[in-house]
Amino acid sequence: MENLLEGWTRSGDWLQERWLDVLDITGDDAWRLWVVGSSVVIFTVYWLYAALFTLMDITNKPRFLRKYKIQPGQNEPVDLAKLWKAVKVVMLNLTVVNMLTSWVIYELIYKTENSSDIRELPTFKRTIRDLAAFVVLEEIMFYYAHRLLHHKAVYKYVHKKHHEWTAPIAAITLYAHPVEHVVANLMPVAMSIAILGTHVALAWVIFALAIVNSMSDHTGYSFPWSAGSVRFHDYHHAKFNYNYGVLGILDKLHGTYRAIPEQKVPLKLKSKSGKRKTK
């Protein structure tokens, strides 16, 4: 036990030193870290992750991964014109909308509530507490924001854009009306961090994890190691009115939960197998 505690202490000291190294480069101005830094982290993680799957969607390679497609035959390969249209919207959201929203939230909340002791990282215990609480808070806010966007008075003006992709791919995760991007993508994460008083360095980690999780749910692939939310959310894109959350708890509470049906073998594959049998 003592060795474990000693190891955690050494790890904490190492991380603290690396954080100070980062601040020596960027400076410790809170606005620069919260607004510019957060936007850069989100933009970088998004496109690095998107690039991997977009290459697969355009080339249909490697072939051995095609069997993990949730909706076989969809976006194989992806329509480049449709993809480019989506990418332009995503770029707007990742730059202008992200920066402006981050700036407003910083001035209203982060500047006073989340910017003390910038140079000192949170303890391991505080980090675990913030991460655990974030999962709960973000799930609650996202579920109800998402339900709101599906209201008939709002849907066709705002959320319908995102649902143009009934078979989603990673690059279109943030293909959304700017209002939706703020209400459903940014605010649940930003307000959870505000409520918890999370340190900016941990906030960057949370932003990265949230982006990867959301993009994984939109890849259109369900690998053996994929979380259950991948098929869960893909079904929402296919059927629209079910599975609004991430964990599924609130969906079960409100009667919007639907179990994911077993994946059907594509007709093309069935016909090929049938031909083989007749030979």
Side-chain angles (χ1 to χ4, degrees):
M1 188 64 180
E2 290 182 2
N3 290 335
L4 180 62
L5 292 173
E6 185 179 346
W8 279 121
T9 301
R10 284 201 300 267
S11 298
D13 291 341
W14 184 85
L15 288 172
Q16 178 63 54
E17 291 174 3
R18 299 293 74 76
W19 175 241
L20 293 177
D21 289 341
V22 171
L23 294 182
D24 287 342
I25 298 171
T26 64
D28 55 6
D29 177 68
W31 182 90
R32 186 183 299 127
L33 295 171
W34 276 111
V35 180
V36 180
S38 297
S39 298
V40 169
V41 167
I42 293 170
F43 185 95
T44 303
V45 173
Y46 188 95
W47 286 117
L48 285 176
Y49 200 59
L52 174 64
F53 284 94
T54 301
L55 184 62
M56 291 167 56
D57 292 325
I58 291 174
T59 64
N60 273 349
K61 295 179 181 179
R63 287 286 180 184
F64 70 89
L65 291 180
R66 311 310 296 174
K67 63 183 177 181
Y68 297 114
K69 283 282 290 183
I70 300 173
Q71 298 186 49
Q74 299 295 317
N75 299 316
E76 295 186 284
V78 66
D79 183 325
L80 292 180
K82 186 179 179 183
L83 174 61
W84 176 237
K85 174 188 172 184
V87 166
K88 289 186 286 186
V89 174
V90 172
M91 288 294 290
L92 173 68
N93 285 333
L94 281 173
T95 53
V96 177
V97 180
N98 271 18
M99 283 286 290
L100 290 177
T101 305
S102 298
W103 195 342
V104 170
I105 294 174
Y106 170 77
E107 293 295 342
L108 294 177
I109 303 173
Y110 293 163
K111 186 175 183 178
T112 55
E113 302 298 327
N114 295 66
S115 298
S116 61
D117 300 323
I118 285 283
R119 299 188 68 83
E120 185 176 347
L121 289 178
T123 64
F124 177 71
K125 182 178 179 180
R126 174 62 185 271
T127 298
I128 297 300
R129 189 213 73 169
D130 280 12
L131 288 173
F134 172 83
V135 172
V136 176
L137 290 172
E138 196 272 343
E139 172 72 5
I140 294 171
M141 290 187 229
F142 176 74
Y143 177 86
Y144 291 112
H146 196 180
R147 282 294 301 272
L148 173 64
L149 292 172
H150 274 265
H151 190 279
K152 61 182 180 181
V154 179
Y155 178 79
K156 67 178 180 179
Y157 300 108
V158 180
H159 194 44
K160 187 177 181 180
K161 176 182 284 290
H162 185 66
H163 273 285
E164 290 173 10
W165 290 76
T166 55
I169 62 173
I172 65 93
T173 301
L174 296 183
Y175 174 66
H177 190 287
V179 171
E180 174 185 348
H181 184 52
V182 173
V183 172
N185 295 331
L186 298 181
M187 294 308 290
V189 175
M191 293 310 297
S192 297
I193 286 172
I195 290 170
L196 295 169
T198 301
H199 188 280
V200 64
L202 180 56
W204 288 356
V205 174
I206 290 174
F207 293 150
L209 292 175
I211 282 291
V212 169
N213 181 67
S214 183
M215 295 185 74
S216 296
D217 289 349
H218 286 85
T219 58
Y221 291 86
S222 181
F223 302 110
W225 58 85
S226 296
S229 61
V230 175
R231 284 186 176 275
F232 183 81
H233 189 73
D234 193 273
Y235 188 74
H236 171 75
H237 270 263
K239 301 300 180 181
F240 293 3
N241 295 320
Y242 306 107
N243 300 355
Y244 293 101
V246 177
L247 302 178
I249 298 173
L250 290 174
D251 282 290
K252 291 179 179 179
L253 178 66
H254 292 292
T256 55
Y257 177 85
R258 290 295 182 275
I260 300 93
E262 292 184 9
Q263 186 171 354
K264 296 180 180 179
V265 178
L267 292 176
K268 290 182 179 180
L269 293 180
K270 284 184 177 180
S271 61
K272 286 181 181 180
S273 62
K275 288 178 181 179
R276 290 194 188 99
K277 290 180 181 179
T278 56
K279 287 181 180 180

